[in-house]
Amino acid sequence: MIFRPMASILRLLVVPSTDESALYGETRQQNTSEMYMKQLEVVRLLRALFRMKVHLFSFDFEKDINANPRELLFLLLSSYGATLSEVDLEIYSLMLEIESANLSNSGSIAERDYLWGRAAIRIRKEREQEQDLSSHMMKDVEAVEGRRTQFRENLPIDPKLYAYTVLHFPYGRNVVEVQHGDSDDMNEINYPNVEQIQTHDPVFILRFSIHRLLMGYIEPVEFTSLGLLAIAFVSISSPHDEMRKLGYEALGGFKNALESIPLFANFLWSNSVNFRTDRLWILCLLYAGLDSDDDAQIYIRNNILEILLGFYASPLSDIESKEMILQVVKKSVKVHKLACHLVEHCSIISWLSSIVSVFCGKQYQTQTNLPFPLLNRALEVVNDVISTRNIIEWLQQFALEQLSELSTHLYELLVGGNLIEKVHLVTSVLEILTSTLKISLERKVYQPHFTRVRFRYTKLLMYAVMEIIVLVQN
């Protein structure tokens, strides 16, 4: 192998970054310059050497420290410009060959988040520094969020180049997939006609877009404003099937991104100086955005309500947040699909029971900062839940125990005198107790019934009614 050591050859593989002059074709003659041709020949030489390894097994990549496939992939990606120049097309084709060869320790473009050029170099340096400092301390969620932040801060974005790609879309470009076989011309590349105006390679940009949407690294608004949505749309008019498939896949990812609630996790768990404002803003957005079954499906798919129910009991939840969460839950039970989801899959009755229990007896004395409007809101939700026939039938058959537990706490509230002079709360409590007894009476004989307060219910009802009459008269 007279060309070794490999590293000395790879030093020549430095492709200048695309500048604005290339957009207008003013330096087109550079494509035929001596330096450009040297770069092109170096990449072709690398492809030839790589094919020798794959097909002839003339040397071992894993044992040759100067020819590490992972390092070679990184070097190619950091020299890549994601354009339709011959050098970039050759580099991209070689990267696909490395991925498809299934070599150990070869890595992939996706592992590097499809970042190219200087962005790939910056990301690598940042991750190497973080690996020594916080690899053992950083939680998985924090690591994912950190990677997302790195990605957004190092985007190799040139909006003008994206715009020119849309306006001068290379319809002659086809998706080149590398397959290893017996054909001698399997690695041939069909170059499209090079335009006077430089554009991005739509194949790479579409895969780049799909990866960003899949990983949640970009918001739909940003995806649109950068021109990536326009590239996806124009690609579905390509005469080539594979190009259209990539375009539709990108559009599908964009549609799915529209069904993730933007900035939900960032604002709900915000640790900024204005964290209360951020949290209340996203809770208000959740309340205002819930209007139809389509919205309900988005909430269910993203486990929004499960997260809110859990957040309510967390130490981070203040009175304003609790109030807004109850507002969102109250509006949710007005939507039939969400009401059924909350009752059957989220144990909403037990969750409401835990809220009511805080206002009972000694437990409430230790929570004097909790206002009774929270209890009132919780009782409104209960009455809304048990007002639907389908939900009543489900509770009657499967979950009367949950409703019985809640009713027991409400009975303790009445007996303990915590609701004195709160007529509207007494009325809500009596309605719930009445509904619970009705559901219990309609159960089968062999099923458990609500009996803990059943025998004292008549006396309690008379006492409560008399109290309401007295309060109204006063």
Side-chain angles (χ1 to χ4, degrees), residues 263-311:
L263 302 176
F264 171 70
N266 291 345
F267 280 13
L268 183 66
W269 305 101
S270 173
N271 57 2
S272 68
V273 177
N274 301 317
F275 65 94
R276 284 192 176 90
T277 303
D278 294 344
R279 185 186 305 147
L280 289 176
W281 182 86
I282 195 64
L283 291 174
C284 290
L285 177 65
L286 291 174
Y287 179 83
L290 181 59
D291 293 314
S292 64
D293 286 341
D294 291 335
D295 301 323
Q297 187 60 39
I298 293 175
Y299 282 43
I300 293 173
R301 178 179 299 177
N302 292 276
N303 300 319
I304 298 299
L305 295 175
E306 290 89 334
I307 295 173
L308 292 184
L309 298 186
F311 184 82

Side-chain angles (χ1 to χ4, degrees), residues 30-311:
Q30 294 179 358
N31 290 345
T32 58
S33 67
E34 183 178 358
M35 177 59 71
Y36 181 85
M37 296 307 298
K38 287 182 178 180
Q39 295 166 358
L40 183 59
E41 292 305 319
V42 167
V43 179
R44 288 174 175 171
L45 176 60
L46 287 175
R47 292 190 67 204
L49 292 175
F50 187 81
R51 286 203 298 264
M52 289 174 59
K53 188 273 172 189
V54 173
H55 296 290
L56 304 178
F57 299 95
S58 55
F59 62 94
D60 193 339
F61 265 109
E62 286 71 21
K63 295 180 180 179
D64 186 351
I65 61 173
N66 291 320
N68 187 310
R70 180 177 291 273
E71 292 300 315
L72 177 58
L73 183 65
F74 168 73
L75 177 64
L76 292 169
L77 197 57
S78 62
S79 301
Y80 184 56
T83 69
L84 286 176
S85 67
E86 289 188 71
V87 171
D88 280 345
L89 289 172
E90 288 280 0
I91 290 176
Y92 187 43
S93 181
L94 178 53
M95 290 191 294
L96 294 180
E97 289 187 44
I98 295 174
E99 284 189 343
S100 64
N102 296 320
L103 296 173
S104 63
N105 195 34
S106 63
S108 67
I109 302 175
E111 287 180 8
R112 303 186 181 277
D113 292 326
Y114 281 83
L115 292 175
W116 70 90
R118 295 180 179 178
I121 299 175
R122 288 195 298 267
I123 286 290
R124 178 172 178 171
K125 290 181 179 178
E126 291 177 7
R127 291 179 181 173
E128 287 176 350
Q129 294 172 355
E130 292 175 356
Q131 187 175 4
D132 297 332
L133 296 175
S134 60
S135 59
H136 300 291
M137 301 169 54
M138 187 176 293
K139 298 179 181 179
D140 291 341
V141 176
E142 294 174 349
V144 172
E145 185 60 29
R147 186 169 179 173
R148 183 177 186 270
T149 302
Q150 282 183 334
F151 184 89
R152 294 172 65 88
E153 292 177 351
N154 293 279
L155 286 178
I157 296 300
D158 187 341
K160 290 184 179 180
L161 194 53
Y162 284 114
Y164 278 105
T165 304
V166 175
L167 296 174
H168 304 274
F169 190 81
Y171 290 100
R173 176 71 164 113
N174 194 6
V175 178
V176 178
E177 297 291 353
V178 179
Q179 298 178 350
H180 291 280
D182 298 329
S183 176
D184 294 333
D185 58 347
M186 61 184 176
N187 292 311
E188 290 297 324
I189 301 179
N190 295 321
Y191 295 109
N193 294 327
V194 179
E195 301 287 344
Q196 291 292 327
I197 299 176
Q198 185 65 278
T199 66
H200 271 308
D201 182 0
V203 175
F204 183 85
I205 293 301
L206 287 173
R207 288 172 174 162
F208 169 75
S209 302
I210 293 167
H211 177 77
R212 295 175 71 181
L213 292 169
L214 180 63
M215 299 298 292
Y217 289 162
I218 188 171
E219 300 297 337
V221 174
E222 184 181 11
F223 185 83
T224 303
S225 63
L226 292 176
L228 296 175
L229 180 61
I231 293 177
F233 268 118
V234 73
S235 66
I236 63 177
S237 63
S238 170
H240 303 287
D241 293 341
E242 296 300 322
M243 181 70 78
R244 293 199 299 273
K245 288 180 181 178
L246 281 179
Y248 281 117
E249 187 176 353
L251 293 176
F254 178 73
K255 178 180 178 296
N256 292 334
L258 290 175
E259 299 174 353
S260 299
I261 296 176
L263 302 176
F264 171 70
N266 291 345
F267 280 13
L268 183 66
W269 305 101
S270 173
N271 57 2
S272 68
V273 177
N274 301 317
F275 65 94
R276 284 192 176 90
T277 303
D278 294 344
R279 185 186 305 147
L280 289 176
W281 182 86
I282 195 64
L283 291 174
C284 290
L285 177 65
L286 291 174
Y287 179 83
L290 181 59
D291 293 314
S292 64
D293 286 341
D294 291 335
D295 301 323
Q297 187 60 39
I298 293 175
Y299 282 43
I300 293 173
R301 178 179 299 177
N302 292 276
N303 300 319
I304 298 299
L305 295 175
E306 290 89 334
I307 295 173
L308 292 184
L309 298 186
F311 184 82

Side-chain angles (χ1 to χ4, degrees), residues 308-360:
L308 292 184
L309 298 186
F311 184 82
Y312 182 95
S314 73
L316 299 176
S317 181
D318 52 19
I319 300 300
E320 292 80 6
S321 298
K322 293 179 187 293
E323 172 67 22
M324 275 307 306
I325 290 174
L326 283 169
Q327 291 275 20
V328 173
V329 173
K330 177 175 170 58
K331 192 173 183 180
S332 298
V333 298
K334 297 290 187 180
V335 182
H336 180 70
K337 182 181 293 187
L338 274 181
C340 293
H341 177 76
L342 284 167
V343 172
E344 298 178 13
H345 302 286
C346 301
S347 301
I348 185 65
I349 299 297
S350 295
W351 181 76
L352 291 167
S353 178
S354 67
I355 295 177
V356 173
S357 67
V358 176
F359 292 86
C360 297

